Amino acid sequence: MAHNDMRPAHGGEAFGPPRHPGGVAGLVDLHAHTYVSDGTLSPTALVELAARKGLAALAVTDHDHLGGLVEARAAGERLGVEVVAGVELSITHPAGELHLLGYFVDPEEPRLAQTLQHLRAARGRRAEAMVERLRALGLDIAMDDVVAAAQGRAEALGRPHVARALMAKGHVASIQEAFDRWLADGRPAHVPKRKLTAAEGIALVHGAGGVAVLAHAVTLPEASREPIVRELAALGMDGIEVAHSKHAPEDRARLAAWADALGLLQSGGSDFHGDNKPDVELGSGKGGNVRVAPEWLEALRTRAARRRAEARSPT
Ligand code: AMP
Ligand code: FE
Ligand code: FE
Ligand code: ZN
C-alpha cells in the first residue's frame, strides 16, 4: 500500500479514516482533468499529486479524450495509486448542456474511440471559430496563442484554453473574466460545441463496457434537475455525481435522495483542472467540500462488471 507511505504529514493514520478533517488519505477522487484536455498538469504530475495526498484511486476524466490513461497508469503503478479509465462527454438537452462521465470504459473500443476523435476534431474547428469571432470583435489573438495556452497540445481544445490565451495576451485579468466577457453561453465570442444526445452518450459508454454517471447536476437549471435525473435513469444511466466542488451540502443531500429513490449509484470527485480552476483541490474540492469513500468506487466497479457480463450473455 504505497499510498499510505506517500500521505502528507497531516493526512491521518495509516489505517482507518484520516483524523485531520481536510485529509484525504485512503479516499478516492473520481473526476479530474489533465493537459490532455483542459487541465494544466500532465497525467504523471496529476498522479504524483494524488499520491502526495494519499489518494487510493483517481479517475482521469478528460473531456472527449482517453489519451492520458497510459501515462497516468504507469505513474499509478509506480506510486501505488489506482487509475480508473474515465471520460467526460458533453450532452445536448433542451434544458441546457449537461456532462456525462463514463467510468471503466475500454479505450480501444472502436465506436467510442472513433466518436471521441470526431468530437475532438469538432473542438478544433470550434476553437478556430472562437478566435475568428474574437478577432472580428477587435481583439489581437491567434490560433497559435490558444495552442500555446494548451501547452502545445491541440487535441481537445476548449474554452479554458481560449480564456488562458486571452489572459496571456492581456485582454482579461482572469479565466473567469474571459468567460464572463466573451466565452460564456450568450456572450459575444461563444460558439456552440458539437454534443451527443443523452441516449447516444449512455449507449456509447455502455458499448465500451463502462458505467454512465451524470456530472455536476447543479450546472443545470434547478427546476430541470430532478426530471433530467429521472429521464437519464430511464435511459439506463448508472449513477449521479453527488459530491462535487460545485455542490453545497443541500445539493448533495438532494442528489443522494434522488439516487436512492431511483436505484442509482453515487459518485464524487473534485473536477480538478490545475491552474485552470485554481480554487479546486485534487481529492478535497473547494475548501474541503469533497470527500469520496472507496466504497463508491467499488459499487461502480461492480456495476460495470455486471454490465459487461450481461453484454456477453444476453438473456
Ligand atoms: P468547453 O468544453 O470548451 O465548452 O469548456 C468547458 C469548460 O469551461 C469546463 O471545464 C467548465 O468548467 C468551464 N466553464 C464553462 N462555463 C464557464 C463559466 N461560465 N465560467 C468559468 N468556467 C466555465
Ligand atoms: Fe473542463
Ligand atoms: Fe464538466
Ligand atoms: Zn470535468
Side-chain angles (χ1 to χ4, degrees):
M1 299 294 280
H3 65 265
N4 282 329
D5 301 322
M6 304 296 295
R7 73 189 191 277
H10 62 272
E13 301 303 316
F15 301 102
R19 241 182 227 161
H20 190 284
V24 293
L27 300 183
V28 306
D29 189 330
L30 302 181
H31 193 161
H33 297 264
T34 75
Y35 66 20
V36 163
S37 67
D38 59 359
T40 56
L41 295 187
S42 70
T44 299
L46 178 70
V47 175
E48 285 171 350
L49 179 60
R52 282 201 298 281
K53 288 174 178 280
L55 289 174
L58 169 74
V60 176
T61 56
D62 278 309
H63 299 278
D64 300 335
H65 214 322
L66 284 150
L69 194 58
V70 169
E71 183 187 318
R73 285 228 157 115
E77 272 167 37
R78 181 164 54 82
L79 298 166
V81 178
E82 181 189 356
V83 173
V84 175
V87 67
E88 184 169 11
L89 301 171
S90 301
I91 302 295
T92 176
H93 189 280
E97 174 172 338
L98 59 93
H99 288 180
L100 195 70
L101 293 158
Y103 294 118
F104 298 109
V105 288
D106 173 5
E108 310 289 327
E109 197 278 318
R111 228 185 119 136
L112 175 63
Q114 196 176 57
T115 304
L116 295 183
Q117 202 170 32
H118 288 152
L119 291 169
R120 294 196 299 266
R123 278 180 173 277
R125 294 192 293 273
R126 170 192 184 227
E128 281 168 11
M130 284 190 281
V131 166
E132 272 169 38
R133 284 272 180 94
L134 289 162
R135 291 175 67 86
L137 290 158
L139 282 82
D140 170 34
I141 184 168
M143 200 56 194
D144 282 352
D145 302 315
V146 177
V147 174
Q151 304 186 48
R153 293 157 182 282
E155 285 190 26
L157 290 175
R159 285 178 290 166
H161 303 121
V162 181
R164 274 191 94 82
L166 286 169
M167 199 163 72
K169 299 288 279 184
H171 298 303
V172 293
S174 67
I175 291 177
Q176 192 57 54
E177 189 191 339
F179 273 91
D180 294 345
R181 281 179 69 182
W182 306 109
L183 303 173
D185 199 353
R187 303 308 297 153
H190 179 261
V191 177
K193 182 172 52 187
R194 173 134 165 247
K195 299 187 264 302
L196 306 172
T197 66
E200 286 169 340
I202 292 169
L204 196 63
V205 169
H206 287 167
V211 289
V213 170
L214 174 65
H216 47 67
V218 300
T219 55
L220 288 161
E222 191 161 2
S224 68
R225 290 174 201 162
E226 188 177 5
I228 285 178
V229 168
R230 286 181 183 282
E231 179 191 329
L232 271 56
L235 290 171
M237 182 177 71
D238 301 279
I240 46 185
E241 192 171 53
V242 168
H244 183 275
S245 49
K246 279 188 177 156
H247 290 184
E250 55 272 25
D251 300 318
R252 274 208 310 270
R254 211 171 298 137
L255 290 162
W258 295 339
D260 281 349
L262 293 165
L264 297 170
L265 300 176
Q266 298 187 35
S267 186
S270 61
D271 208 354
F272 178 77
H273 280 70
D275 290 342
N276 280 346
K277 282 189 191 169
D279 50 348
V280 174
E281 276 194 54
L282 187 67
S284 57
K286 221 180 259 190
N289 67 352
V290 172
R291 291 179 70 77
V292 184
E295 286 75 17
W296 287 4
L297 172 59
E298 293 319 311
L300 291 164
R301 193 196 312 277
T302 302
R303 172 85 62 122
R306 204 183 74 203
R307 281 205 171 282
R308 286 193 295 270
E310 283 169 2
R312 276 195 300 274
S313 57
T315 46

